[in-house]
Amino acid sequence: MLQIGLVGYGYWGINLLRNFMSTPRCTVKTVCDPRPERQAIAQRNFPSVGVTADFSDLLNDPAIDAVILATPVFSHYPLAKQALLAGKHVLVEKPFTASVAHAEELIELAAQQNKVIMVDHTFLYTGSVQKIKSLCDTGEIGKLQYFDSTRINLGLFQSDVNVIWDLAPHDISILFHLYPERPVSLSATGKAHALNKIENIAYLTLHYGSDFIAHFTCSWISPLKVRRILIGGDKRMVLYDDVEPTEKVKMYSTSYEVNQSEQEKHKMLIDYRTGDIFIPKVAQKEALAEMAADFVASILDGKQPLVDGRKGLEVVRVLEAAEASIKQNGKEIFL
Ligand SMILES: NC(=O)c1ccc[n+]([C@@H]2O[C@H](COP(=O)([O-])OP(=O)(O)OC[C@H]3O[C@@H](n4cnc5c(N)ncnc54)[C@H](O)[C@@H]3O)[C@@H](O)[C@H]2O)c1
């Protein structure tokens, strides 16, 4: 039985505790959060779980095999480092770290300590993303040409990271999961409308060596909630609308073909084709439960987790470069 210490019992920590408490072959022994009111809620929800305000209580407890970090982004690196040095396996919430250098150091340290380091990019475990992945892999969509994501609503303004760090990790991790090529550069722009100078609306474009392109729109200031990704190929396009309660994934066969006129070589003939809309069956399940099972299996069975430190790092690399580009008014940054 794997014994776990959960660090941070805020908005997301609640979901993690509930899922890890019902995952086979593990239990959460202690929840660590400095806020007494959060400790009280954890104990009310799960009376068997111990609570503490002191992270070193987890580190010094030999019964605890692994820690989960569900704390603000800037604390991920120091907490993960201490946990690895204390001989614990570590699951870090997205985004992995607040810098590339920190992510690289943690990957190295985990290898030295022979411990698992995994990052929770929850969306990869959803039935929707798994279905879209199989549509991409079986060639149903054709050769992929673009990925266009919009993740906007009246979101909670974060005090330490901008809107790209907060919202784009979901979509960047989905893109990297679906499409194997990696971007060569990016450009991003954004604006801060609050006094803290942290961008609350931002646009990010990833540029590739091929003709593929990816674009991300992130905002905390939209009264309209949109969680939508378009994935276009030369055969079909997939719409992933996460706000839809049931039919989240739709595949459009409507398409076009570009032909050159034989008589007039400079003239392009565009053939438009209207086709069907297909709504595939998507497994309804809680993604976090699968993520929890993946973490447990990666420790107990030596299974390769879906998102290891390297995959977490790839996302952080984009976030760090996007922030640098925003600060330089959209300058192209090479990755
Ligand atoms: N995977 C997802 O879909 C998802 C969704 C939401 C949040 N998250 C991630 O989860 C993390 C936490 O986000 P949140 O929305 O729950 O934040 P939150 O502010 O609601 O909760 C964070 C909690 O951590 C506690 N905390 C802060 N520093 C601590 C420390 N040093 N030791 C112990 N506890 C500490 C705070 O008291 C608070 O209760 C972030 O990395 C965020 O990006 C992931």
Side-chain angles (χ1 to χ4, degrees):
M1 195 73 161
L2 196 70
Q3 306 229 50
I4 292 176
L6 170 63
V7 190
Y9 195 65
Y11 161 68
W12 201 241
I14 287 210
N15 297 321
L16 289 165
L17 181 59
R18 179 171 49 75
N19 277 281
F20 274 93
M21 285 304 276
S22 58
T23 299
R25 301 194 291 160
C26 81
T27 189
V28 177
K29 182 169 186 234
T30 313
V31 168
C32 170
D33 197 299
R35 294 191 290 160
E37 69 275 21
R38 301 306 300 175
Q39 294 177 19
I41 296 171
Q43 283 215 298
R44 201 170 59 228
N45 289 345
F46 291 94
S48 67
V49 169
V51 290
T52 179
D54 189 352
F55 182 53
S56 59
D57 287 346
L58 304 191
L59 301 181
N60 296 330
D61 184 345
I64 290 184
D65 310 290
V67 299
I68 302 170
L69 304 177
T71 54
V73 183
F74 278 91
S75 63
H76 291 180
Y77 163 74
L79 296 175
K81 185 173 176 177
Q82 289 176 70
L84 288 169
L85 288 171
K88 316 289 185 197
H89 302 281
V90 181
L91 170 66
V92 189
E93 259 312 321
K94 67 83 198 161
F96 184 16
T97 57
S99 79
V100 167
H102 284 165
E104 286 174 339
E105 193 185 324
L106 291 178
I107 293 166
E108 181 77 33
L109 183 58
Q112 276 167 19
Q113 298 286 98
N114 201 18
K115 296 291 163 207
V116 169
I117 187 137
M118 178 172 142
V119 184
D120 175 22
H121 282 295
T122 320
F123 275 86
L124 305 193
Y125 296 91
T126 59
S128 301
V129 171
Q130 285 169 352
K131 174 56 74 178
I132 297 168
K133 171 93 176 134
S134 86
L135 294 173
C136 291
D137 290 352
T138 53
E140 296 267 347
I141 309 173
K143 181 177 171 291
L144 294 195
Q145 296 175 324
Y146 62 90
F147 179 100
D148 187 339
S149 103
T150 306
R151 192 172 288 273
I152 61 175
N153 72 324
L154 272 187
L156 202 62
F157 278 58
Q158 307 284 318
S159 54
D160 53 351
V161 289
N162 71 20
V163 70
I164 288 204
W165 279 91
D166 184 37
L167 300 182
H170 294 307
D171 305 294
I172 298 166
S173 67
I174 293 170
L175 166 66
F176 284 179
H177 185 59
L178 297 178
Y179 185 63
E181 191 183 351
R182 293 296 178 256
V184 290
S185 68
L186 61 75
S187 36
T189 48
K191 289 291 169 210
H193 299 104
L195 291 178
N196 64 7
K197 303 260 191 292
I198 292 179
E199 292 79 18
N200 47 262
I201 182 164
Y203 305 95
L204 163 66
T205 306
L206 302 185
H207 310 292
Y208 286 76
S210 67
D211 60 1
F212 184 81
I213 187 164
H215 186 263
F216 305 80
T217 299
C218 301
S219 168
W220 290 322
I221 56 170
S222 162
L224 183 69
K225 178 169 177 166
V226 182
R227 300 257 180 277
R228 201 185 59 196
I229 299 176
L230 304 177
I231 302 137
D234 60 5
K235 283 193 199 158
R236 297 187 178 88
M237 186 198 78
V238 166
L239 162 67
Y240 172 23
D241 187 348
D242 202 32
V243 174
E244 273 281 323
T246 50
E247 296 171 355
K248 290 179 188 289
V249 179
K250 295 191 176 100
M251 187 164 67
Y252 291 75
S253 288
T254 298
S255 169
Y256 68 93
E257 216 164 282
V258 182
N259 297 304
Q260 207 90 36
S261 156
E262 267 308 310
Q263 291 78 29
E264 299 163 87
K265 291 276 183 219
H266 61 282
K267 246 194 186 167
M268 278 199 311
L269 303 172
I270 314 278
D271 251 347
Y272 294 96
R273 189 168 55 78
T274 50
D276 295 331
I277 301 171
F278 169 63
I279 302 176
K281 185 169 159 42
V282 168
Q284 300 286 338
K285 56 187 177 177
E286 189 162 8
L288 265 187
E290 279 210 8
M291 189 283 294
D294 194 20
F295 184 54
V296 171
S298 70
I299 296 170
L300 295 182
D301 310 330
K303 175 188 172 291
Q304 175 68 24
L306 191 56
V307 186
D308 59 9
R310 299 225 156 266
K311 291 195 178 152
L313 164 65
E314 283 190 324
V315 174
V316 172
R317 201 182 294 287
V318 170
L319 300 172
E320 190 177 86
E323 187 168 353
S325 178
I326 289 175
K327 296 293 175 229
Q328 296 168 82
N329 286 318
K331 184 181 166 203
E332 183 174 13
I333 305 281
F334 286 84
L335 294 161

